[in-house]
Amino acid sequence: MYWNKEVECMPEEKLRELQLERLKQVVKRAYEKVPFYRKKFDEAGLKPEDIRTLEDIKYIPFTSKADMREAYPFGLFAAPLEEIVEVHTSSGTTGKPVVAGYTRKDIELWGELIARCLTMIGVTKHDIVQIAYGYGLFTGGLGFHYGAQKIGATVVPASAGNTRRQIELMRDFGTTVIACTPSYSLYLAEYAKEEVGIDPATLKLRVGSFGAEMWTEEMRKEIEKRLGLKAFNVYGLTEIIGPGVAHECEAQAGLHVWEDHFLIEIIDPETGETLPDGEEGELVITSLTRDGMPMLRFRTRDITRIIRKKCDCGRTMARIERIKGRTDDMIKVRGVMLFPYQIEQAILEVQGVEPHYQIVLTRPHYLDEIEVLVEMSKETFSDEVREIEELRKKLEKRIEAAVGIRVKVTLVEPKSLPRSEGKAKRIIDKRNLK
Amino acid sequence: MKIKQISVFLENKKGRLYEALKVLQGERVNIRALSIADTSEFGILRMIVDKPEEAKKALEENGFTAKLTNVVAVGVKDEPGGLAAVLAYLYEADLNVEYVYAFVKKAGEEAIVVMRTSNLEKTISVLQEKGVKIFSFEELLNF
Ligand SMILES: [Zn+2]
């Protein structure tokens, strides 16, 4: 099902033409209305008219999260405040929050995007959509609210929290669609069973749109099994518009990006160079049609790849893979990017318990080597050398399959690795000490 | 007549064996027999002690991974070929020996061999049939 078939299935050539036309417009607008962009362009010796093709986007300087903080609160707005009808913020763990401003047209657009996303997974006006994202400054709640209302569905603005009430509403109203974070959905399922005495699979839930945090295919299987629904991935970020930048279709094979409104690129997070489609790297987004706060080449710090292959659903819009990690957590070993969470996932699969591990990078003979220290768990300890050796080899194999590089696994005693000291301690990089 | 043995995972780090033994000493656990299987990266300390449950608890509280495993303790004449005869019985019965260690009280007297095999029940019945002495936990402690 399509919300806007003409656009969603637009011939690619036409789509590129539209993108170029809109790119030129947004560059001009940003340059004229936002001193921040004008300064960046001037420093780079760039004029809006220099952007003649889509490829020329590479000359435009990036916009980073740090830039946004510096512009706090309204420094990036391209419309006067009397035209801004709503603001949202994303809370940073450090420093000032990021502020996003929306004109009435932006809010309309946001609703349209979410309407496309929800229609894509089969949501109609006959559905009861329970939104369990926080309502307020966070973009999750209101974004979905606008979109679900646009479709004409019955919206239950439950907001986040009060889990017992969420479950009672689902049961009493016969909620068919849920939107929340993937981890909260699992919590809901557990709570329903343990605290309310309802088997969540007996609820009328049919589909769910989950996002605002990283999750895995394993989690998807778990959510689908426990809640008895089909789980879809939504992507978005406050800096760009909020949720609805991209969403999975029924094929569950990547998230379609609404390219008529967003121009996406993948760059090497270290060099900033644009990478060809299909390669993995940092996602960079340019919002082509935002009035209140246009974003030029925003570095999302999210790692993914672009899939241009035609999708079974008939949409021509490119897809991005499920977000694989954040550039902040990335380790580059022998030119390959890897993330601690991939290793964690692999160990979890073998050991069956939340692993404690540490990744040690060395370069003994001009070549990077990875050693993964894994704490022996009570559950997996055998008093036979052969079995421990087998466990070790199994861990090595599984991790290698996950990250694509041979690693050495060393089993260590429990509690011998540092605890809860943040991500940094997960990785010991000894490569530069030599 | 299976006997509870305590096994401890040891990293190949200086002093870990000593620390494990110190924990047991602190709990006044008496060690009857001890063996260490080690590889280049880790070791497994295996012991017969008088208070296995308490030993496990104390070791775990001190950050060790410990486990109780069933083993069989058999009496073997302390003379050439004593152990070989026992192993031959097991081999004939198609039983695999995972590991074995022995201790003697005094040279020339009976030795006790602790072993873990692929099937402990069968091991006990095969050896008893052949007249091999199987020790109970109490007998072992008083040996
Ligand atoms: Zn599709």
Side-chain angles (χ1 to χ4, degrees):
Chain A
M1 275 199 309
Y2 308 97
W3 176 255
N4 190 341
K5 187 169 184 196
E6 202 187 323
V7 170
E8 293 173 42
C9 302
M10 186 186 278
E12 209 184 323
E13 207 176 303
K14 244 185 101 191
L15 179 60
R16 301 290 159 243
E17 268 171 41
L18 179 68
Q19 281 187 317
L20 179 59
E21 184 193 317
R22 288 181 167 176
L23 177 65
K24 287 177 177 169
Q25 280 168 8
V26 75
V27 165
K28 187 160 174 285
R29 184 177 164 81
Y31 185 79
E32 284 168 3
K33 308 268 176 157
V34 187
F36 163 84
Y37 285 121
R38 177 184 289 264
K39 189 165 160 262
K40 280 220 163 177
F41 271 59
D42 289 347
E43 278 170 9
L46 189 69
K47 290 266 171 279
E49 13 341 331
D50 294 337
I51 306 303
R52 292 188 190 93
T53 66
L54 285 175
E55 285 68 47
D56 290 341
I57 195 171
K58 64 174 182 277
Y59 301 117
I60 300 175
F62 293 116
T63 307
S64 69
K65 208 157 185 140
D67 288 331
M68 298 209 61
R69 293 224 162 86
E70 215 155 293
Y72 181 86
F74 303 145
L76 284 172
F77 288 9
L81 270 186
E82 62 261 33
E83 285 173 29
I84 300 287
V85 298
E86 191 167 317
V87 288
H88 284 276
T89 68
S90 88
S91 55
T93 40
T94 52
K96 295 198 178 94
V98 162
V99 183
Y102 302 71
T103 61
R104 198 168 299 282
K105 213 181 113 208
D106 291 333
I107 295 290
E108 278 298 312
L109 167 64
W110 199 8
E112 151 94 18
L113 298 174
I114 294 281
R116 287 188 200 175
C117 294
L118 291 175
T119 306
M120 180 155 64
I121 58 171
V123 178
T124 69
K125 62 182 175 189
H126 301 294
D127 276 298
I128 299 172
V129 181
Q130 190 160 328
I131 298 165
Y133 282 116
Y135 274 65
L137 286 170
F138 175 54
T139 49
L142 282 168
F144 271 92
H145 189 93
Y146 298 141
Q149 268 199 347
K150 194 161 207 131
I151 290 176
T154 308
V155 176
V156 183
S159 195
N162 203 339
T163 307
R164 175 175 295 271
R165 191 185 60 192
Q166 298 272 7
I167 293 155
E168 285 165 359
L169 291 176
M170 283 181 203
R171 181 194 58 197
D172 302 344
F173 292 0
T175 301
T176 53
V177 180
I178 173 102
C180 63
T181 62
S183 54
Y184 189 63
S185 77
L186 283 174
Y187 180 69
L188 271 173
E190 197 184 296
Y191 195 94
K193 209 166 181 178
E194 314 269 309
E195 304 290 328
V196 192
I198 294 177
D199 177 0
T202 63
L203 293 168
K204 289 211 177 122
L205 291 173
R206 197 164 59 73
V207 291
S209 174
F210 304 105
E213 66 189 19
M214 248 189 296
W215 54 311
T216 59
E217 279 304 317
E218 284 75 21
M219 258 175 104
R220 181 192 333 250
K221 279 183 217 136
E222 224 25 62
I223 293 169
E224 293 192 332
K225 193 176 83 192
R226 292 204 205 164
L227 286 167
L229 49 67
K230 215 167 165 202
F232 298 92
N233 205 341
V234 59
Y235 177 75
L237 54 180
T238 308
E239 291 85 347
I240 299 300
I241 196 159
V245 173
H247 203 287
E248 277 175 341
C249 66
E250 287 193 306
Q252 290 181 325
L255 296 79
H256 286 284
V257 177
W258 304 121
E259 288 187 285
D260 52 331
H261 296 288
F262 308 107
L263 208 150
I264 52 170
E265 305 167 77
I266 294 289
I267 62 162
D268 180 323
E270 283 184 342
T271 63
E273 249 165 80
T274 312
L275 296 173
D277 287 344
E279 274 192 39
E280 195 172 276
E282 181 180 352
L283 179 66
V284 170
I285 306 179
T286 298
S287 61
L288 297 170
T289 51
R290 280 293 306 281
D291 265 356
M293 199 176 77
M295 261 304 143
L296 301 185
R297 299 195 89 198
F298 180 71
R299 291 190 62 159
T300 65
R301 300 199 281 184
D302 289 323
I303 301 285
T304 183
R305 72 175 92 228
I306 298 177
I307 310 164
R308 291 262 178 227
K309 219 180 92 204
K310 272 261 160 55
C311 184
D312 293 341
C313 71
R315 286 176 185 80
T316 46
M317 306 261 158
R319 284 167 288 164
I320 51 170
E321 261 181 11
R322 168 190 289 288
I323 301 302
K324 197 172 168 189
R326 305 275 296 160
T327 53
D328 316 60
D329 310 331
M330 187 190 76
I331 326 166
K332 217 165 173 179
V333 180
R334 289 187 222 165
V336 177
M337 282 186 285
L338 55 100
F339 301 92
Y341 103 89
Q342 295 174 291
I343 292 177
E344 183 169 327
Q345 191 60 36
I347 303 171
L348 176 70
E349 280 168 33
V350 174
Q351 281 202 319
V353 284
E354 205 60 42
H356 290 288
Y357 64 95
Q358 194 168 52
I359 300 161
V360 183
L361 303 171
T362 52
R363 186 172 290 166
H365 309 290
Y366 306 105
L367 201 59
D368 296 341
E369 279 184 11
I370 315 178
E371 182 180 11
V372 183
L373 305 177
V374 182
E375 280 186 11
M376 175 65 94
S377 72
K378 245 196 212 165
E379 290 77 3
T380 43
F381 175 52
S382 150
D383 81 327
E384 284 170 36
V385 173
R386 181 172 45 83
E387 281 183 20
I388 296 181
E389 262 311 308
E390 271 167 22
L391 170 69
R392 209 178 59 77
K393 292 220 175 84
K394 217 157 122 193
L395 284 166
E396 285 183 345
K397 262 205 192 132
R398 191 61 202 80
I399 296 173
E400 184 181 347
V403 301
I405 302 177
R406 268 263 298 281
V407 302
K408 176 181 184 322
V409 166
T410 301
L411 292 163
V412 299
E413 288 174 19
K415 304 205 177 71
S416 61
L417 299 176
R419 288 286 189 281
S420 63
E421 286 171 61
K423 285 172 211 143
K425 279 283 169 192
R426 285 274 193 230
I427 304 158
I428 307 287
D429 197 339
K430 294 180 178 168
R431 289 178 295 184
N432 302 321
L433 300 178
K434 289 217 151 192
Chain B
M1 268 183 295
K2 287 177 267 183
I3 285 168
K4 276 205 175 2
Q5 164 197 264
I6 181 158
S7 307
V8 188
F9 180 75
L10 290 181
E11 240 174 86
N12 270 357
K13 231 168 33 185
K14 228 173 153 180
R16 287 307 279 166
L17 173 62
Y18 171 66
E19 278 162 39
L21 296 181
K22 221 169 60 181
V23 169
L24 296 182
Q25 189 191 18
E27 287 295 306
R28 309 185 66 80
V29 170
N30 188 15
I31 301 167
R32 290 298 294 142
L34 173 154
S35 101
I36 295 177
D38 74 334
T39 72
S40 59
E41 282 166 3
F42 61 87
I44 301 169
L45 169 64
R46 302 184 183 116
M47 292 172 290
I48 304 291
V49 301
D50 59 348
K51 295 184 284 189
E53 307 283 350
E54 288 93 326
K56 178 171 181 274
K57 195 164 158 267
L59 285 166
E60 281 176 347
E61 279 167 4
N62 283 280
F64 288 93
T65 301
K67 185 180 181 170
L68 297 179
T69 326
N70 287 323
V71 291
V72 175
V74 302
V76 173
K77 283 203 187 79
D78 185 20
E79 62 181 32
L83 177 59
V86 171
L87 294 181
Y89 297 144
L90 299 181
Y91 179 70
E92 280 164 25
D94 212 15
L95 287 159
N96 281 324
V97 177
E98 309 284 4
Y99 53 78
V100 41
Y101 57 100
F103 60 109
V104 287
K105 201 169 171 187
K106 216 156 113 200
E109 285 182 4
E110 193 180 35
I112 290 185
V113 171
V114 177
M115 60 172 89
R116 178 161 172 85
T117 64
S118 48
N119 184 336
L120 290 180
E121 282 81 11
K122 195 171 166 197
T123 301
I124 293 169
S125 65
V126 165
L127 293 182
Q128 270 174 337
E129 229 168 78
K130 298 287 182 186
V132 176
K133 161 94 176 141
I134 308 283
F135 280 78
S136 70
F137 188 57
E138 289 69 32
E139 287 172 317
L140 201 61
L141 295 186
N142 297 322
F143 176 70

